[in-house]
Amino acid sequence: MPGVGKLLKQAQKMQKLMEEAQAKLSEEILEVSGGGGAVSIKITGQGEFKDLKLDPEFLKEDPEFVSEAILQAVVDAAEQAKKKGDDAMGSLTGGVQMPGFF
């Protein structure tokens, strides 16, 4: 069955492209801010948090407000990283969801 060999080669090529895309995503740093710029987060395209900075003046605010702003910034950063990853993988798979690949 010559079609199976061709299919296997295509799958191997796709796997290599996906690994390269994931490596690129792991190096790409997204910077997300929240709380009017008082919260700054750096996250990779694969969703690995790299840095969190808080404006010292911001910490003097109401603790509940500070907590909510930090949480929202973290959620926004995670969503942006997921979208970046989904976009990168989607461009390789033509939008077809492939379980286990990101």
Side-chain angles (χ1 to χ4, degrees):
M1 292 202 280
V4 174
K6 184 177 180 182
L7 184 61
L8 182 57
K9 284 184 181 184
Q10 287 176 334
Q12 289 171 337
K13 181 179 178 182
M14 176 70 71
Q15 182 178 4
K16 183 178 180 198
L17 290 172
M18 288 183 149
E19 288 171 356
E20 290 171 358
Q22 288 177 340
K24 183 178 176 186
L25 285 170
S26 71
E27 295 172 359
E28 187 169 351
I29 303 291
L30 304 172
E31 293 187 41
V32 180
S33 64
V39 180
S40 176
I41 295 174
K42 290 183 181 179
I43 186 170
T44 69
Q46 280 194 311
E48 182 181 345
F49 288 90
K50 292 293 189 178
D51 192 32
L52 169 69
K53 291 188 179 172
L54 303 172
D55 181 335
E57 291 298 314
F58 176 65
L59 295 175
K60 295 176 183 176
E61 298 288 332
D62 175 57
E64 187 173 326
F65 173 73
V66 170
S67 295
E68 288 174 9
I70 293 170
L71 179 60
Q72 187 59 54
V74 169
V75 168
D76 290 348
E79 286 176 354
Q80 286 186 32
K82 182 177 181 340
K83 182 177 181 339
K84 189 76 157 172
D86 288 350
D87 289 349
M89 292 300 125
S91 68
L92 292 175
T93 64
V96 176
Q97 294 294 325
M98 300 186 73
F101 288 102
F102 199 76

